[in-house]
Amino acid sequence: MLSPDSMNFMEHLAELYKSTGVNSFDFIDYMDVPNHSAALEELMAKGYVSWKDDFQNVLGTITINLDVLKGED
């Protein structure tokens, strides 16, 4: 079970993905989500998102691990 902050973060990414069709999110795309740093840390630990191109810091680009989400259906 994800924390409310992580759920909010994932919902935000899902809306961006639905509207653009692009599974790549820069910091500017999610910086306004409350508690994004804690949510990002939790989601990465649980395998829901990962860094794109191994640029591993809060300003990096992330992607949703779609295989993990498919496994939950």
Side-chain angles (χ1 to χ4, degrees):
M1 185 72 148
L2 294 174
S3 69
D5 287 337
S6 293
M7 288 295 292
N8 184 43
F9 190 91
M10 282 300 290
E11 288 170 4
H12 178 74
L13 294 183
E15 288 301 315
L16 289 173
Y17 180 64
K18 287 178 191 174
S19 67
T20 65
V22 176
N23 184 19
S24 178
F25 311 95
D26 296 324
F27 178 71
I28 193 80
D29 295 324
Y30 58 83
M31 69 182 203
D32 293 333
V33 176
N35 298 317
H36 65 270
S37 294
L40 187 56
E41 189 174 314
E42 178 183 354
L43 292 167
M44 287 198 173
K46 293 186 177 183
Y48 286 92
V49 297
S50 59
W51 296 113
K52 182 177 181 182
D53 302 327
D54 293 325
F55 187 65
Q56 300 180 4
N57 70 48
V58 74
L59 297 178
T61 302
I62 60 171
T63 60
I64 299 171
N65 294 330
L66 300 174
D67 291 338
V68 171
L69 297 179
K70 289 178 188 174
E72 292 195 353
D73 290 342

